Amino acid sequence: MTSSERPPAIIAGHGEFAAGVRSAVEQIAGRADHFVAVSNAGLGPGEIEAELRRVVAETGARVIFTDLPAGSCTIAARRLLRDDPSLTLVTGAALPTVLSYACGCDVAKAVEQGRTAIGVVEGGR
């Protein structure tokens, strides 16, 4: 299945994280339509879970990207996975991972490319 044939994925996180990553994907690759942004701002745990369930039901999303491995969005997404093991959750997601997924990589390859994008550049070297 190509990236244009699969349902949109969800990006969920704190504050404007999800909208920011989605915006960056649009600016770089023109593929923001591959994602739905969900923020936890102002929401309690049950409300985050309800919002994720609503987006999954409305869009058919099968992949959820979250910002923190133990954050509130991840905890809510894990509850969804208990009820629907066909969902995939990627925690600690950053722009390189989401961008790779948007450009057609499967989840495992996108995560691998996200890991390899991390680097350190020290001054004077």
Side-chain angles (χ1 to χ4, degrees), residues 6-98:
R6 59 188 176 200
I10 298 168
I11 306 169
H14 292 81
E16 296 300 317
F17 168 80
V21 171
R22 187 176 185 272
S23 172
V25 168
E26 179 61 27
Q27 184 173 358
I28 295 166
R31 296 180 179 210
D33 59 332
H34 294 305
F35 301 98
V36 175
V38 173
S39 174
N40 68 354
L43 302 178
E47 295 166 310
I48 298 166
E49 181 180 344
E51 179 64 5
L52 291 175
R53 287 186 188 282
R54 181 191 69 75
V55 174
V56 166
E58 286 182 7
T59 66
R62 308 313 313 147
V63 178
I64 303 170
F65 294 93
T66 62
D67 55 356
L68 292 174
S72 57
C73 289
T74 299
I75 292 167
R78 286 182 180 273
R79 290 188 191 113
L80 271 68
L81 268 70
R82 281 194 305 234
D83 296 335
D84 185 352
S86 70
L87 290 171
T88 299
L89 172 61
V90 177
T91 66
L95 180 58
T97 303
V98 176

